[in-house]
Structures are given as C-alpha cells and as structure tokens.
Amino acid sequence: MDPYRVRPSSAHDSPFFTTNSGAPVWNNNSSLTVGTRGPILLEDYHLLEKLANFDRERIPERVVHARGASAKGFFEVTHDITQLTSADFLRGPGAQTPVIVRFSTVIHERGSPETLRDPRGFAVKFYTREGNFDLVGNNFPVFFVRDGMKFPDMVHALKPNPKSHIQENWRILDFFSHHPESLHMFSFLFDDLGIPQDYRHMEGAGVNTYMLINKAGKAHYVKFHWKPTCGIKCLSDEEAIRVGGSNHSHATKDLYDSIAAGNYPQWNLFVQVMDPAHEDKFDFDPLDVTKIWPEDILPLQPVGRLVLNKNIDNFFNEYEQIAFCPALVVPGIHYSDDKLLQTRIFSYADSQRHRLGPNYLQLPVNAPKCAHHNNHHDGFMNFMHRDEEVNYFPSRLDPVRHAEKYPTTPIVCTGNREKCFIGKENNFQQPGERYRSWDSDRQERFVKRFVEALSEPRVTHEIRSIWISYWSQADKSLGQKLATRLNVRPNF
C-alpha cells in the first residue's frame, strides 16, 4: 500500500480534501478573512491555489464569458456626484470618457447560441485620465454564491458534464442544493428575464459593492446599475428556440447592425449609496452579493449615460484580446470587503495573464489612454519599446516621481483570522418577495421551468425535497405548487 495515499476518514469512510501538496483542507467553503466579514488575506494559500488552478483550466478560450460581442463609445456625466467621489471621470456634468463594452453569455463555449438561458456579462472599460476603470458586472443584480471560494465549484457544476460534455440540470441542482443563498439568483435566471432579446434591451449591474471616496476622505458603499433607454425585452422559451434556430449569433448581429445604422444603444448609469455606518441596520449583509439593496430605502441616483456609437475594428483585437479585471479602479473608487469582489480582484488578472500572457495590459485594447510609467517590462509577449537604462526606483537619473496621494478607504480592519460564513444570511426573504411581485402568469412560467428542471431522471428525491423546502421557505404557495406537480410530500 502507498504510505502517502490519502486514507479514508474512519468517520465517513471517504477521502478528505487536501491541497495539491497533500496538506489537509478542513474548510473548503470559506475564505480566510480578517474577522467574520473582513477582507480576505493573501496568506490563504488554499484559496489562491484553488483559484489559480481553476483559472488555467481552459486554453485559450475564456473559462467563462467566452461568447458575446463588444462595441465602443463614450460615457458622459449628466449629474454631479462630486460630493461622493473624487474620481476625475465623474468630475462634473458634460465630462466624457471613451469606453469599450463587452457583452457575453456566461457558461457556454465561444460558438454557443446566444439564446440559451444563461446570465449575461456586462463589462465596461473606462479609459479615464487617471488610468482604466473596469466595471465588470452582469445583467442580474445578484449572484449565485457569496464567497469566491465556491466559484470554481459553481462553474464546474454549471458547465457541461466532464464525462459527456452535456450540461445537465441534475448537476446544477445537486450543487446548489448545498447553497440556499442561490435562490435569489435562480429567481432571476428562471424568470422571464432569463433570456434577453438582445444586448441592447437588457440591464446591467456591477453586482459587487464598491466604495466611493470623496476628496475629504469620506467613504460610501455603492452599487452600480445600467438601465437601457430602449427598455427591457426578453425572449420566451418558444421565441428563443425559433430565434436560435435561425441565427445562433442573433444578439451580436443586432448590436453590430444597430450601431452601423446609427441606432446607437444607450444606457443610463445609476448608483445606490449607503453610509458604512448604517450597514448593520439591515436584516441582511449589504456586502452579500446574493442580496439587492431596497430602492425604497436606498434610491437610484442618476450619474450619466453610456452611448455605443462605434463598432469594433477587429474582432480578435478588440473582443478576444480585451481583458477586464475588477481590480482596475481609479482614485475615488475602491473595493469593499465583499468576499466575492475580493477574490475576483485576484482571479480575473490571474486568468488574463494565463490566457493572454503577463503583458496583456500592453495590448492596445487594454492599455490606458493616459500617460503611464513603471518598471514592469520584459517577459512573455512583451512588445513595448524601451531604451532607458534606468529600470529601478528611486534613481537620481530618472525624473519620475510618486503621484500625489489621494484619499483611500478610512475603514479600519481588525479581527481574528477566520474561515467562516457571514452572519445574517437571510436566504429566503428577497426571492420570496420577488416571486410575489409577479402576476400569476409570470409565476406559472417560473414554476413550469423549475418543475422541468427538477423532473430530470437523475435528480434524486432528496434533491427535489430540498429544493421544495427552500422555495417553501421563500414562499409557501410556491413550495406547494412544486410539491404537487412533482408528487413530493412537502416538509411543512
């Protein structure tokens, strides 16, 4: 017998998780943070190893968001929010910033139909005078899981079966049966919003919570929202089959043709703002990405408009090689302790370095349009012309200096090193409220879709029962409808 083989646990007669080096993993669900909900620590080797391995699973296609389209245009400030942020590109009404936007489906491969029921990516790169700001979000304001430690597992469950390469609901429902926080996201995905008509007629959301910091150093939590001026339109299940059968690239074609015809897509940008001193006043954690902020308490505030008025010049250069990362912020905008955002800060850049190389930010579509200078050079795929002899700092022979200091987050982090779930999970209230806000026909379509998913032969009785229990806790009548149609006796 191999003395180094991981032996089954005597309690459960099954192997336990380890790192690649064989070290035991006692918690494969939570990131190591400062306190219960503080920022994630770089010393969490298990998290970094897990994400780094995951980011390198596909070559050269993106692991997620492989399919979609991009276009160029500008962002114009329409409302003054300088009391909230010192960001230069938000300096006042009329200020314009060039942008490039990438829309995408999330799970399926590069050539997949754009009519599949799937979240949509909505990523905006602002070429500001202070460097690039990447606002990387989706068309839904919430997400499946709240901790990035679960992101690789989540994508594995949503992706096709590694044995058959077929996406199967039993795998999805099995995985998310362990994560009741996913109900809110499923209330969007299985709703009529689950298949946008095209990219022009869908909303966008930053999803994560960021921070706005003004010149005085005052910080506010912020969520970003894009609202299409042409309204929201979606495809029914029957329309999706018809449209997808005639053109699997219908949304890409619609975006390209609309811009070429001068029918420029537009979105208005709104923000929701919260004083960090008030975060404990809610019955949920405001930094939890599975939750929305109630608009009656934290109303949408207008900021500006996004106009896409130019098609890309080359699909490979300005779509395949474009690289987004939530770590790219500018003075006046900063990260919060949102656990999913904290992991995305590392994972996105790591994924791009694997896919495009360590110098991916030198590619024209990713490079800043403002002056920039540092001593990062050489390495794989470097094409920057450099003839300076001084490549270190400081130097009396190089006039480069530090930039002027700007305000950063004043929030102090204290706490023990911990791997744990956040408090105030409150997994069922918001999905239940969302379901009850629909008319009866919309509710019926949602129930029908979920019944079909739960009816797949490989979905076990146990998994069906768990999902009925979850939806019953969100809305008792919804749980009863599912139980009746699936012939499962509910546990309530």
Side-chain angles (χ1 to χ4, degrees):
M1 178 182 291
D2 183 352
Y4 298 105
R5 183 175 179 271
V6 175
R7 293 181 176 85
S9 164
S10 59
H12 301 288
D13 195 31
S14 60
F16 54 79
F17 272 97
T18 72
T19 64
N20 286 345
S21 65
V25 173
W26 67 269
N27 185 338
N28 193 37
N29 291 304
S30 304
S31 304
L32 183 65
T33 57
V34 179
T36 302
R37 54 188 299 281
I40 288 171
L41 295 172
L42 187 62
E43 71 183 58
D44 191 350
Y45 172 79
H46 169 224
L47 171 67
L48 300 187
E49 179 188 83
K50 186 175 182 179
L51 291 173
N53 275 267
F54 172 75
D55 291 340
R56 289 162 174 79
E57 287 183 357
R58 300 290 187 273
I59 300 174
E61 184 176 284
R62 287 173 169 87
V63 178
V64 287
H65 296 276
R67 172 67 151 126
S70 56
K72 296 183 283 190
F74 65 89
F75 174 78
E76 180 180 26
V77 179
T78 57
H79 292 73
D80 187 359
I81 62 165
T82 52
Q83 78 280 6
L84 295 172
T85 178
S86 61
D88 176 74
F89 80 100
L90 299 173
R91 60 190 175 273
Q96 287 193 1
T97 301
V99 301
I100 185 167
V101 178
R102 186 179 188 271
F103 303 106
S104 57
T105 60
V106 176
I107 294 301
H108 299 278
E109 54 267 17
R110 190 161 50 195
S112 58
E114 293 179 304
T115 49
L116 297 177
R117 185 170 295 276
D118 195 24
R120 299 312 194 255
F122 194 125
V124 184
K125 187 181 293 289
F126 298 80
Y127 298 106
T128 87
R129 303 191 303 187
E130 297 178 304
N132 292 352
F133 169 46
D134 285 359
L135 182 54
V136 190
N138 291 330
N139 64 321
F140 301 146
V142 294
F143 200 63
F144 291 104
V145 292
R146 56 171 66 98
D147 192 319
M149 178 65 85
K150 300 308 302 177
F151 189 80
D153 299 293
M154 179 201 76
V155 174
H156 286 167
L158 290 166
K159 284 280 191 181
N161 186 320
K163 181 176 180 179
S164 64
H165 200 66
I166 299 171
Q167 187 186 42
E168 296 171 313
N169 280 328
W170 70 266
R171 289 164 39 81
I172 298 170
L173 295 168
D174 175 31
F175 173 76
F176 286 111
S177 71
H178 298 275
H179 300 283
E181 73 262 32
S182 66
L183 260 67
H184 204 184
M185 183 66 166
F186 279 109
S187 75
F188 283 88
L189 184 60
F190 276 59
D191 180 28
D192 292 348
L193 297 178
I195 310 177
Q197 176 177 294
D198 48 57
Y199 298 125
R200 292 184 298 125
H201 290 90
M202 73 179 194
E203 294 180 301
V207 183
N208 294 113
T209 301
Y210 288 82
M211 298 186 76
L212 295 180
I213 304 173
N214 65 18
K215 291 180 180 179
K218 172 65 177 176
H220 287 87
Y221 291 142
V222 62
K223 281 187 177 288
F224 297 98
H225 300 271
W226 298 105
K227 304 291 184 180
T229 59
C230 59
I232 301 169
K233 294 182 181 180
C234 301
L235 297 176
S236 68
D237 298 280
E238 296 74 22
E239 289 172 331
I241 293 172
R242 176 177 53 81
V243 172
S246 62
N247 183 0
H248 77 297
S249 299
H250 81 284
T252 295
K253 185 177 188 302
D254 174 84
L255 181 68
Y256 192 93
D257 289 351
S258 296
I259 295 174
N263 182 22
Y264 302 141
Q266 295 190 39
W267 289 260
N268 291 324
L269 177 63
F270 296 85
V271 294
Q272 286 179 287
V273 179
M274 179 189 299
D275 190 325
H278 298 161
E279 63 180 297
D280 292 331
K281 295 183 178 181
F282 297 87
D283 57 5
F284 62 92
D285 190 324
L287 305 189
D288 180 353
V289 293
T290 69
K291 303 294 184 292
I292 59 171
W293 291 359
E295 293 181 16
D296 57 336
I297 300 174
L298 302 168
L300 296 175
Q301 302 181 37
V303 178
R305 67 187 185 117
L306 169 69
V307 180
L308 299 182
N309 59 2
K310 185 178 180 182
N311 280 310
I312 56 176
D313 301 315
N314 180 283
F315 184 82
F316 183 79
N317 289 343
E318 296 183 306
Y319 176 80
E320 279 299 301
Q321 291 197 122
I322 194 171
F324 292 90
C325 179
L328 300 187
V329 295
V330 293
I333 301 176
H334 197 66
Y335 326 117
S336 75
D337 292 342
D338 173 341
K339 285 192 177 186
L340 190 71
L341 175 60
Q342 292 271 320
T343 49
R344 292 176 79 206
I345 290 169
F346 163 77
S347 187
Y348 276 59
D350 186 57
S351 182
Q352 305 295 6
R353 293 185 188 103
H354 166 64
R355 192 173 65 88
L356 298 172
N359 291 300
Y360 75 95
L361 288 176
Q362 291 182 22
L363 294 168
V365 70
N366 299 320
K369 307 304 181 189
C370 61
H372 55 287
H373 178 95
N374 57 51
N375 290 324
H376 307 326
H377 62 88
D378 297 345
F380 183 71
M381 294 294 288
N382 179 282
F383 57 88
M384 175 178 62
H385 175 74
R386 185 184 181 97
D387 56 15
E388 295 92 342
E389 295 180 284
V390 175
N391 60 351
Y392 49 86
F393 179 86
S395 169
R396 302 187 190 284
L397 305 176
D398 185 353
V400 68
R401 59 179 176 82
H402 284 127
E404 296 297 322
K405 186 176 180 180
Y406 53 85
T408 57
T409 173
I411 298 176
V412 177
C413 296
T414 59
N416 298 322
R417 295 177 175 89
E418 297 186 62
K419 277 181 173 280
C420 56
F421 297 113
I422 67 169
K424 293 196 292 188
E425 292 190 9
N426 200 353
N427 295 319
F428 307 108
Q429 180 179 336
Q430 290 192 0
E433 291 172 346
R434 178 171 168 77
Y435 173 79
R436 288 187 291 275
S437 72
W438 302 334
D439 61 44
S440 58
D441 289 342
R442 189 170 177 179
Q443 289 180 350
E444 173 60 26
R445 290 189 292 271
F446 178 82
V447 170
K448 180 176 181 292
R449 295 181 189 115
F450 227 91
V451 166
E452 289 177 352
L454 288 168
S455 296
E456 285 195 1
R458 295 191 65 181
V459 177
T460 66
H461 177 80
E462 179 187 13
I463 292 174
R464 290 192 187 103
S465 299
I466 290 171
W467 279 102
I468 290 171
S469 172
Y470 286 166
W471 285 117
S472 297
Q473 292 176 73
D475 183 89
K476 191 171 182 179
S477 67
L478 171 56
Q480 183 65 62
K481 289 177 182 177
L482 292 171
T484 299
R485 300 187 192 190
L486 292 165
N487 196 27
V488 175
R489 187 173 181 176
N491 295 320
F492 58 82

